[in-house]
Amino acid sequence: MTQYFGRFLTIPLVFLLLLAGGRNPAPREVSAYLAPDSSRWQKALESFQLEPGLRIELIAAEPLVVDPVALAFDENYQMYVVEDRGYPDPAEGGAPDRLGRVALLTDTDGDGKYDHRSEFVTGLTYPNGLLPWKGGVFVTCAPDIYYFKDTNGDGVADVKQVVLTGFSDSRTGQLRVSHPTLGPDGMVYVTSGLNSGEVRSPLHPSRSAVAYSPADGRFDPETFAFETTGGRSQFGLTFDAFGRRFGCSNRHPVQQIVLEPQQLRRNPNLLFTETIQDVSRAEAEATVHPISGAITSADFIPKLMGLSHTGTFTAASGVMVYNGSGLTAAHQGNAFICESAQNLVQRQVVRPAGVSFQSAPADEGREFLASTDEWFRPVFLQHGPEGALYLADMHRKVIDHPSYVPEEARPRLDFESGKTDGRIYRIVREDFIDKTLSYGQKTAFDSPVKLVQALQSPEEWERRTAHRLLLEQRNPSAISLLKKVVADAKFPESRGLALWLLWGSEDLDAATLRRALTDKETGVREQAVTLAGALAKTQPELLPLLTATAADPAMRVRFNGALALGSLAGEGVVPALAKIAAKDGGDRWARAAVLSGIGDRLPEFLQEFRRQPQPDPVAFSAVMQDLGQLFGNGAALADCRALLKEMLTAKGDYEWRIATMLGLAEGVSRRAASESASPKKLLAILGDDPAVPEKQSLSHFIAQTSRRAADPGLSARSRGTAAALLGYTDYGQSHQTLQELTDARHPPELQLAAIVALTRLGDARGATFLTQKDIWSHYTPQVKSAVVAAMVSKPAFTEVLFAAIRRGVIGAAEITSMDRQRLMKSKDPKISTSAEELFRELEGGGRMKIYQDYKTILSQTADAGAGKVVFERSCSACHTYAGKGGQVGPDLTGVRNQPADALLLHILVPNYEVLPAYQAIAVETNDGRSLSGWLLAETDNGLTLKTAFGTEEAVLRKNIKTLSNSGLSLMPEGLEQTMTRDELAELIAFLKQGSQ
């Protein structure tokens, strides 16, 4: 089918009326080639509000393109477009539609206008991404990644291969592998789509499948070997100019993948489980400013109650770091994010922040691009050959998937309208003049010399295309040219790509790396350090260059140096790691990078670290605490004892000595109860011999620690560390100080530290104190939640808890359903009998009857102001509203659009529908603790839970006795027992009034 659409429908955008609240002025006459539907497209263009100084142009529209979700240009300037025409896939499952396609748009007469469409591929299910490679394209379409190629020039793929398969397609079309993106290392990176898989290549049947839970991945485009990487991106993946990788998910617009799992895996005793850093503000803080008046359907879905959507990112996708020339210099290096649910694209300025970055909207209060048209659904962004920013508009009336809409509400939403529509736009600055491109010819890329010249182009698309073609061809004649690029190229982006190309060709020598390691651009040095680390085992002359990076002025270069050195051995390695730790150890990512590489050389590193002159005080304390944990988690008990003795006799500030002893005690106490020596107290680490001279020193040290915990002149952080250490002493030594710290006159973080410490002491007298009626009545909601969590975490506290419930101090409804059920199923008949007596009514399955009974309160007039007081008393420990409250459960700021009966339902029946992210996990550890919370992060080494009172609990996998996911919420049932009917009505009125 041939359609004659002009390549550009140019609409100049002058914003003289913006201050008066105006929109785009009337566009110029629309070219006749768009007739007879040009008025519709012109109306769409008039709906846009674009950043001043730029213009937006229509490149293609239906029927030339339909439902575009990804696009890419090959070296011939042809545009491949993925069309997900079948979306949304059926909510109830069943056979998938096969309407998905890949279209090929070409310019048949060389006039610079795309005028022809070829049905390159048809019959796909739900394709969502593509990448040009060797004259064809990789296409993601779970469960498969395909390779398609046209070998006879008819515009239709005749090569159709499944190169990888096994990506999960059991969840909706929103949650699947996507965004194949070529990395500087020559690997193709893909997002997980928040999904899992068991991936194998049909072309290599002898290989074992790679099984993984949600994690991004990458594959070699030549061998199709697949491996998982850091990151859990949904629909968006991008590299910046220097190879740093970023992703996004619905409510997290910009995330950097800072570490890789294999880097953390080097040290099995390192209890650090994160690989991702939120660069942008996230969730309720990730604000957007739509002009369409769109209300996201999620705001009306009881299942999503508590997720503040309207006015915040709810469908962040297609994140891209832009480095083209078609906008302005101020736009280069910025992150652009699509928000399809609210009809806009946001621009965020990215700035360095320690090892990682921070980003913020370029213009608070308005967006880079927004539309009054609720059918405008931007989902994907791409660099164009001329430097423009290209945008794919799926163009649907409803973009949400029906699976996330209650079944009874689905008939009221139109999921079909727009399935024949689609738009592709480009955005450039107003004074942009189109370049002359030779369409259909490889004139810019038809020899190694021209490819290396293109690699040095000021244009990002040309650099990246040249990089890809050089990877594909691997022509030996390019090697000397690439070395010259590393030495002399004007643009640092070119120098970095040349390094990777030389590495991939196995022609990266020490002399070239030495030059790159002194490059004036930080980003080039970062990449050079990574590559030097990869080669140092076979080129030992590189080791001195790597150890020298410990003195580099840039923190991210030192960070990459730590990651590289952690896999190496040799003279100077450990001193260099110690030097980096002493300077940068206050940054958690830098600290993890160093400590991941010292697993089998702890004593040597400790000695070198202690020698560092004038270390940063915060860094020194933080590293020493983590070192203590590493010793406690995995070192021989004799080494742990030696470290403890050293801390008792060391000449130095109590701050870092206490931190080190805390880490040591934490680590040792986690050891399996079956170990021959698993001391839970500091004193026990010293051994059983009463004549050990350090025991007297320990008593003195504990006394000093108590004084520091009680000293109001110290920071809350320092006092909290001291209080935490008291949890590993004896009850008689420390209970008085800890009990005093629970007083409401102390900062909340100090109160929480004291409660945790009293819990760790494991003495029932501490639990009795915490549940005294006069003490209990003075707790804030957050502290009260912490005490409840403490009561259910220790077997020794169970009877104290039951007694407090019987006395009416603690309400049975304040215990989560998961913990109630666990106690009712206890193997101890005394515990199970008491739990059955106390919790029978709450766990009797009559919650829906209570909900029906309470629905009468919805018809009464209620005071929202009084409801605020109820919220602060009963909900704020876990939930945030308008920026205030706890961060355990969902933010409730945006629930005002929920029907009142839905709010009531989820207050009274919190387990009616629980989002997977908020389903509670119960963990029993080998040291006798019972923890519950939702999964915050996990690696091969361990996992981190967010507990009911807002703390984070990390657990090594080897210390997990049992783990279960009940599917229940952390929110307790029976909250109606903690308030009157009038108060419940007032609470709902408060939530319904909104945050304004």
Side-chain angles (χ1 to χ4, degrees), residues 154-165:
D154 65 355
V156 178
D158 48 84
V159 173
K160 301 180 180 181
Q161 279 186 322
V162 174
V163 297
L164 288 168
T165 191

Side-chain angles (χ1 to χ4, degrees), residues 607-817:
Q607 186 177 30
E608 288 291 344
F609 185 67
R610 293 284 306 279
R611 289 175 180 164
Q612 293 302 308
Q614 298 181 324
D616 176 82
V618 173
F620 193 82
S621 179
V623 172
M624 288 301 297
Q625 181 170 343
D626 281 359
L627 278 174
Q629 278 199 356
L630 287 174
F631 270 84
N633 288 340
L637 191 59
D639 290 333
C640 295
R641 185 176 297 119
L643 178 60
L644 177 57
K645 290 179 178 180
E646 183 181 355
M647 291 304 100
L648 292 175
T649 59
K651 303 295 183 184
D653 186 81
Y654 272 99
E655 179 87 12
W656 65 265
R657 293 164 66 193
I658 289 174
T660 306
M661 292 173 70
L662 173 61
L664 177 64
E666 288 174 339
V668 171
S669 72
R670 293 190 186 106
R671 297 189 180 199
S674 59
E675 289 190 16
S676 57
S678 54
K680 303 297 183 286
K681 308 287 186 183
L682 286 170
L683 186 62
I685 297 175
L686 289 175
D688 298 327
D689 185 355
V692 173
E694 287 82 9
K695 290 191 175 182
Q696 185 175 353
S697 298
L698 178 59
S699 296
H700 174 73
F701 194 96
I702 292 171
Q704 290 295 327
T705 301
S706 292
R707 280 193 280 274
R708 288 181 64 85
D711 186 353
L714 296 177
S715 68
R717 181 182 61 83
S718 296
R719 297 175 69 191
T721 301
L725 183 60
L726 296 179
Y728 296 94
T729 62
D730 290 323
Y731 184 81
Q733 286 178 300
S734 303
H735 76 279
Q736 185 172 350
T737 298
L738 293 174
Q739 289 175 3
E740 290 174 355
L741 292 178
T742 64
D743 190 279
R745 291 171 293 182
H746 295 291
E749 59 266 38
L750 193 53
Q751 295 178 62
L752 295 176
I755 291 168
V756 171
L758 279 170
T759 305
R760 288 196 180 279
L761 289 175
D763 193 298
R765 289 174 291 178
T768 301
F769 168 81
L770 290 173
T771 56
Q772 289 179 22
K773 188 171 184 179
D774 57 335
I775 302 283
W776 180 265
S777 63
H778 291 96
Y779 291 148
T780 63
Q782 184 183 19
V783 174
K784 186 179 291 186
S785 295
V787 173
V788 170
M791 292 299 102
V792 298
S793 68
K794 287 279 187 180
F797 292 179
T798 304
E799 288 301 327
V800 178
L801 170 67
F802 291 160
I805 294 174
R806 292 188 180 101
R807 296 197 317 270
V809 176
I810 298 177
E814 295 181 84
I815 316 301
T816 66
S817 180

Side-chain angles (χ1 to χ4, degrees), residues 176-499:
R176 299 188 179 185
V177 60
S178 71
H179 270 75
T181 304
L182 187 64
D185 57 358
M187 299 287 280
V188 178
Y189 288 75
V190 293
T191 72
S192 69
L194 307 184
N195 220 326
S196 58
E198 292 190 15
V199 179
R200 57 184 178 81
S201 174
L203 304 179
H204 299 274
S206 62
R207 289 182 190 157
S208 299
V210 177
Y212 66 96
S213 55
D216 295 346
R218 66 179 185 177
F219 66 90
D220 187 316
E222 295 293 324
T223 67
F224 307 113
F226 177 83
E227 63 182 350
T228 58
T229 65
R232 296 178 64 176
S233 307
Q234 187 169 350
F235 190 74
L237 178 63
T238 185
F239 288 88
D240 73 1
F242 299 107
R244 307 166 189 122
R245 185 160 49 101
F246 300 83
C248 68
S249 61
N250 276 350
R251 312 218 63 215
H252 298 258
V254 187
Q255 297 180 307
Q256 185 191 1
I257 294 82
V258 184
L259 287 172
E260 298 294 348
Q262 64 267 26
Q263 293 164 337
L264 296 175
R265 202 177 295 137
R266 299 184 299 197
N267 189 344
N269 293 313
L270 178 62
L271 198 48
F272 189 90
T273 61
E274 299 176 56
T275 64
I276 309 165
Q277 170 75 43
D278 270 318
V279 173
S280 64
R281 294 191 292 263
E283 300 195 0
E285 296 181 352
T287 55
V288 295
H289 302 278
I291 61 173
S292 62
I295 299 296
T296 65
S297 61
D299 285 329
F300 296 94
I301 302 171
K303 185 175 183 178
L304 298 181
M305 194 191 86
L307 298 182
S308 174
H309 282 193
T310 299
T312 65
F313 269 103
T314 180
S317 62
V319 62
M320 190 189 81
V321 176
Y322 174 81
N323 279 294
S325 63
L327 300 180
T328 72
H331 293 87
Q332 292 184 343
N334 290 183
F336 291 78
I337 313 102
C338 296
E339 166 57 32
S340 59
Q342 293 168 91
N343 323 112
L344 60 88
V345 177
Q346 185 170 98
R347 172 166 78 99
Q348 295 195 6
V349 178
V350 182
R351 296 183 175 88
V355 162
S356 186
F357 298 86
Q358 286 182 345
S359 65
D363 296 296
E364 294 289 351
R366 61 167 294 146
E367 300 299 347
F368 172 77
L369 173 66
S371 176
T372 57
D373 182 3
E374 294 183 19
W375 288 52
F376 173 59
R377 303 295 187 180
V379 295
F380 186 86
L381 299 162
Q382 182 64 278
H383 287 99
E386 74 289 62
L389 176 64
Y390 280 73
L391 185 155
D393 169 15
M394 197 173 183
H395 208 74
R396 291 289 186 89
K397 183 174 184 180
V398 174
I399 197 70
D400 294 270
H401 196 283
S403 290
Y404 307 120
V405 179
E407 187 172 355
E408 62 273 14
R410 291 173 194 166
R412 301 197 296 270
L413 296 175
D414 186 352
F415 296 101
E416 296 298 312
S417 290
K419 280 195 170 183
T420 58
D421 297 347
R423 316 282 165 80
I424 296 174
Y425 297 95
R426 79 164 190 170
I427 303 170
V428 293
R429 61 182 182 275
E430 282 189 327
D431 62 355
F432 181 80
I433 299 174
D434 274 316
K435 302 173 183 177
T436 300
L437 302 175
S438 299
Y439 288 85
Q441 301 178 19
K442 298 182 182 180
T443 55
F445 308 110
D446 59 5
S447 72
V449 172
K450 288 186 177 180
L451 281 173
V452 175
Q453 288 174 346
L455 191 71
Q456 301 173 77
S457 167
E459 181 54 60
E460 173 75 354
W461 181 86
E462 291 182 15
R463 290 193 298 262
R464 293 291 180 174
T465 301
H467 169 252
R468 173 175 61 81
L469 294 171
L470 286 163
L471 277 170
E472 293 174 4
Q473 297 171 13
R474 299 184 186 273
N475 193 318
S477 65
I479 301 305
S480 61
L481 299 173
L482 290 171
K483 290 183 178 180
K484 185 172 175 55
V485 172
V486 174
D488 301 329
K490 176 181 179 181
F491 299 104
E493 298 91 336
S494 305
R495 302 197 293 271
L497 288 173
L499 281 172

Side-chain angles (χ1 to χ4, degrees), residues 242 244 352 354-355 357 492 495-496 499 516-529 552-560:
F242 299 107
R244 307 166 189 122
V355 162
F357 298 86
R495 302 197 293 271
L499 281 172
L517 286 166
T518 60
D519 196 285
K520 62 182 179 181
E521 173 60 48
T522 297
V524 176
R525 299 200 305 278
E526 288 178 50
Q527 296 171 91
V529 169
D552 193 280
M555 187 177 185
R556 285 193 300 280
V557 175
R558 299 193 297 269
F559 171 75
N560 281 10

